[in-house]
Amino acid sequence: VVADPVGSGFVASLPRPGGNITGFSSLEGSIASKWLELLTGIAPGVKRAMMLFNPDTAPFIKSYALPPFEAAARSLKVALIAAPVHNDTEIEAAIAELGREPGSGLLGMPDNFIEIHRALIISLAARNNIPAVYQTPVIARDGGLLSYGADFQDIFHRAARYVDQILRGAKPSELPVQLPTKYLMVINLKTAKALRLTVPPALLV
């Protein structure tokens, strides 16, 4: 699972990967701006947003996802906080600090570290009354407020077609690396109610 194939050094470019590798990225960088839009849409009182990530397991965040997030923050007049974390203690400290000021929101970045620690993050966000947006549906289903991200089942189906083409003689270097084209949004209405948030009809639709 690779979010930034070029930045991570796997391929030379998306349209012409070169070498002997191609595939499907799990993330399109500008989606970070969409996460912030969704966060302020479901929680209009958010005036500051924390981006939670582990720089060791998701080094692409700073170069790939942070710039569009910063642009969206300026447009929406939301203060941005980048919070690199490496363990439970740092997660607890970052979210507790965020919860001390009203109008705070959280964005759990697309990172296996965040998913592995989701129970702790969900619990701390609830305890500190912080609305949060994530990438994967499992986090919203486990109690996170909202998730929006690539439909991995669709990616796997598309990848199978690439496997078929390669087995029939296509060269991986000539098959462009593709970005997600289908996305899923999951809203946990129980969590929204606990946070005293009214989900806008547009999001429910």
Side-chain angles (χ1 to χ4, degrees):
V1 178
V2 180
D4 180 11
V6 177
S8 298
F10 286 100
V11 299
S13 70
L14 297 184
R16 298 194 65 82
N20 194 39
I21 188 169
T22 188
F24 295 79
S25 171
S26 60
L27 179 72
E28 200 279 311
S30 66
I31 196 176
S33 62
K34 182 66 175 179
W35 289 327
L36 188 56
E37 290 175 14
L38 289 170
L39 178 63
T40 56
I42 198 170
V46 167
K47 299 301 177 188
R48 58 200 297 264
M50 175 181 284
M51 175 186 278
L52 194 72
F53 66 100
N54 185 330
D56 295 334
T57 56
F60 62 88
I61 293 293
K62 288 186 177 180
S63 61
Y64 194 55
L66 188 55
F69 186 89
E70 290 174 329
R74 287 192 297 270
S75 174
L76 295 167
K77 295 180 173 56
V78 173
L80 170 63
I81 305 165
V85 292
H86 305 83
N87 51 52
D88 288 0
T89 301
E90 292 182 2
I91 292 172
E92 291 176 11
I95 296 179
E97 177 66 25
L98 183 67
R100 290 192 181 99
E101 290 194 35
S104 296
L106 177 68
L107 288 107
M109 288 293 99
D111 177 1
N112 287 337
F113 175 87
I114 297 297
E115 191 153 325
I116 290 167
H117 292 80
R118 65 182 182 273
L120 174 63
I121 295 169
I122 291 167
S123 173
L124 291 169
R127 189 186 313 164
N128 289 277
N129 201 40
I130 298 172
V133 171
Y134 309 91
Q135 181 195 28
T136 54
V138 66
I139 302 183
R141 292 176 179 136
D142 283 356
L145 175 61
L146 186 151
S147 70
Y148 181 78
D151 181 343
F152 278 76
Q153 186 174 22
D154 179 66
I155 291 175
F156 298 152
H157 287 162
R158 293 162 64 205
R161 299 188 191 106
Y162 259 19
V163 172
D164 179 65
Q165 291 180 54
I166 291 169
L167 291 176
R168 293 172 186 271
K171 294 180 180 179
S173 61
E174 297 176 357
L175 295 174
V177 174
Q178 296 188 37
L179 296 174
T181 57
K182 186 177 180 182
Y183 292 83
L184 296 174
M185 181 165 64
V186 177
I187 300 173
N188 191 312
L189 296 179
K190 183 178 179 180
T191 300
K193 184 178 180 180
L195 292 168
R196 298 179 181 176
L197 296 174
T198 301
V199 182
L203 284 184
L204 288 177
V205 169

